[in-house]
Each structure stands twice: as C-alpha cells, then as structure tokens.
C-alpha cells in the first residue's frame, strides 16, 4: 500500500510499500471549496482532495466517469481536537457515503507534513473501518491508491 | 455469568512515546486513560471493555484490552493520539490477538 504525504522526509512505517509526495503526483488536485472541486474533478484519474470534505453531488459523478478518487487524509483528523475532530470525521463519513452511492473511487492516506504525522498501514485500515468501509471496499481503497499514486509524473 | 455472556475480548499491544522517550508508568496510564476517555466518553468506555493490561516503562511497550467487535475503533483511537500536555505523543498499535500470550 502506498501512502501520500505533503512534506519531504525520508522514512515510512510498517505495511507501506512506498511513500509518495503529493507534489510529485500530476493527478493530485487540492480544492479549497466545492466550486473549485467541481472543475478539478473533470481530469482523468484525478486524486481529489478537499480539506473541508464538502463536495457537490456532481463531483462524485464526474469522478466516477473519469476513474478518479476522493482523498481522505488522516492529518485532517490529527490537526483537530475534541468537537471539531468529531465534525471533520462526520464530514468524511458523509463524503464516503456519497462516494459509495455514486460509485466513485476513494483513497485513504496520511498527507503528513512531518514524520510525527505518519501512520502505518494498520492505522490507515482502522480509519477506513471508522469511515464505514466493508472488507471489499477496504481492498478496493488499497488497490486504488496503488493504481493512482503509483503513476508518478504520468499525469 | 456464563462465558458466552461475557465480553468477547481482544488484546492490542502498543508502543508509547512522549517527546521521543518512553513515559513512566503513571504518566503512560493517564495518557492512555485520558485519551480513550476523550475519544469514547464514559458511556463508550463502559461498552468497550477497556483496560490497560500491562506497560513496561523501560521499553515503552504495553498492552490494552478492548471488545472484539470494536477493535478497529480502539486502533483508530490509538492512532489519533498525537499530542498530550504539550508533548508530541505517539501510541502505535503493534499487533492484536485473542489472548495475552499470543499478542
């Protein structure tokens, strides 16, 4: 399983085959809001990340057509505390539920800025469970990140 | 109580570090207890069958117990610890099993 990170540092944790920087991926798009997410979702095999996890329904349909995926980041949870963390988790769950409904892809990674925010494969799988994924969806999630993040520089 | 009526348990071994060093037993106990309490709340803890089984302050390794069906939630809760009392903390789950010896 590949992990996508934001910072430039050496090292990976158990169960992860490779750590890839988001900036090295040409298909990684970060959208600040729902409007920019809509235009970002149209490319082929896009990894769409929106820190607010607020998407229009059309975004999921576009991603389903283009073979792209929504990125769920562990760092977003680690950055928050208490009630705000609960709200972020709730938004992530809703976004995953829409992904399932519309049939678009989804990936889970750390998007870590530093080594302290890295998490191993077991921990990423636990986040998948908490988001509501079943065993089949977890396997799909792992294969999707290997497929989409493994194509560095191919855009 | 019949064995079938008891909680089905899972044991999770972990490695705990605070600012890169293994904390003392009392500190480790409060880190783990306070973190689980903040994530699950009193009601959640009651159904989680949570218990800190052992902790070695020399190595920073220990083991905790949880309810079988909520193992993933317990692992996720452990992964969510990143800071405690201004210190950078890490509670890394290592392995999980059905008995203390096997874990």
């Amino acid at each position: 399983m590949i992990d996508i990170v934001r910072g430039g540092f050496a090292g990976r944790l158990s169960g992860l085959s490779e750590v890839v920087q988001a900036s090295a991926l040409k298909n990684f798009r970060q959208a600040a809001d729902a409007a920019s997410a809509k235009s970002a979702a149209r490319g082929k095999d896009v990894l769409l990340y929106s820190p607010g996890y607020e998407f229009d329904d059309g975004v999921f349909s576009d991603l389903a057509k283009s073979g792209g995926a929504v990125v769920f980041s562990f760092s977003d949870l680690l950055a928050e505390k208490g009630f705000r963390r609960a709200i972020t988790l709730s938004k992530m769950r809703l976004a995953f539920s829409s992904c399932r409904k519309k049939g678009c892809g989804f990936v889970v990674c750390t998007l870590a800025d530093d080594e302290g925010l890295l998490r191993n494969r077991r921990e990423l799988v636990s986040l998948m469970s908490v988001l509501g994924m079943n065993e089949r969806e977890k396997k799909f999630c792992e294969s999707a990140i290997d497929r989409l993040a493994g194509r560095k520089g191919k855009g | 109580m019949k064995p079938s009526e008891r909680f089905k348990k899972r044991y999770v071994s972990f490695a705990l570090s605070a600012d890169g060093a293994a904390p003392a037993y009392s500190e480790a106990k409060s880190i783990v207890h306070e973190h689980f309490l903040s994530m699950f709340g009193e009601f959640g803890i009651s159904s989680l069958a949570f218990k800190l089984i052992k902790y070695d302050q020399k190595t920073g390794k220990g083991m905790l117990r949880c309810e079988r069906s909520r193992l993933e939630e317990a692992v996720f809760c452990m992964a969510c610890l990143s800071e405690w009392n201004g210190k950078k903390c890490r509670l890394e789950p290592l392995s999980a099993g059905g008995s203390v010896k096997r874990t």
Side-chain angles (χ1 to χ4, degrees):
Chain A
M1 182 181 174
I2 294 175
D3 187 22
I4 305 173
V5 296
R6 267 192 287 226
F9 47 83
R12 62 186 164 87
L13 296 179
S14 66
L16 301 172
S17 59
E18 198 183 340
V19 172
V20 178
Q21 275 194 53
S23 56
L25 295 168
K26 284 189 178 174
N27 57 342
F28 186 89
R29 308 263 192 284
Q30 180 161 344
D33 50 36
S36 55
K38 204 163 189 179
S39 58
R42 289 191 186 121
K44 192 174 180 283
D45 289 350
V46 162
L47 282 165
L48 181 63
Y49 169 62
S50 175
Y53 296 97
E54 282 165 357
F55 303 97
D56 292 336
D57 272 358
V59 171
F60 298 109
S61 308
D62 287 346
L63 282 173
K65 279 178 203 160
S66 65
V70 175
V71 175
F72 294 94
S73 157
F74 211 119
S75 296
D76 292 332
L77 292 171
L78 296 175
E80 304 288 359
K81 254 183 147 185
F83 203 78
R84 290 197 64 81
R85 181 183 280 175
I87 289 170
T88 307
L89 186 58
S90 161
K91 282 182 179 176
M92 287 167 95
R93 274 184 173 151
L94 282 172
F96 169 69
S97 163
S98 299
C99 284
R100 181 190 267 165
K101 206 168 160 187
K102 299 285 176 183
C104 87
F106 40 84
V107 298
V108 170
C109 61
T110 58
L111 285 186
D113 287 318
D114 65 75
E115 281 187 65
L117 299 177
L118 276 179
R119 292 293 180 266
N120 62 31
R121 182 181 168 274
R122 183 74 186 79
E123 291 166 307
L124 292 175
V125 170
S126 75
L127 173 60
M128 293 176 200
S129 294
V130 169
L131 290 180
M133 292 183 201
N134 58 32
E135 291 304 315
R136 199 174 159 190
E137 286 163 340
K138 283 182 204 172
K139 277 184 187 162
F140 168 81
C141 187
E142 288 186 38
S143 62
I145 197 165
D146 288 346
R147 179 176 64 87
L148 296 168
R151 56 201 304 279
K152 269 187 285 183
K154 287 176 191 168
Chain B
M1 184 186 275
K2 285 192 281 183
S4 60
E5 289 170 346
R6 294 185 198 134
F7 281 117
K8 308 286 185 292
K9 296 155 200 154
R10 278 289 176 270
Y11 297 90
V12 188
S13 65
F14 63 84
L16 176 64
S17 67
D19 275 346
Y25 181 81
S26 57
E27 198 183 3
K29 197 176 170 183
S30 13
I31 291 173
V32 173
H33 281 184
E34 282 176 28
H35 180 63
F36 268 77
L37 194 61
S38 95
M39 286 289 281
F40 287 98
E42 290 171 15
F43 186 69
I45 288 274
S46 69
S47 59
L48 188 67
F50 172 77
K51 190 182 181 185
L52 181 63
I53 303 289
K54 60 182 179 184
Y55 175 72
D56 180 8
Q57 57 184 17
K58 285 178 191 166
T59 58
K61 289 186 179 174
M63 188 182 287
L64 56 84
R65 187 189 74 188
C66 67
E67 214 273 325
R68 187 175 67 183
S69 63
R70 300 180 70 188
L71 173 66
E72 292 300 320
E73 289 171 40
V75 171
F76 174 71
C77 173
M78 293 164 84
C80 280
L81 180 67
S82 60
E83 188 255 331
W84 188 78
N85 275 2
K87 290 178 183 173
K88 274 198 169 182
C89 253
R90 180 88 167 92
L91 184 56
E92 188 180 3
L94 299 174
S95 63
S99 70
V100 176
K101 274 186 183 175
R102 276 180 157 187
T103 308

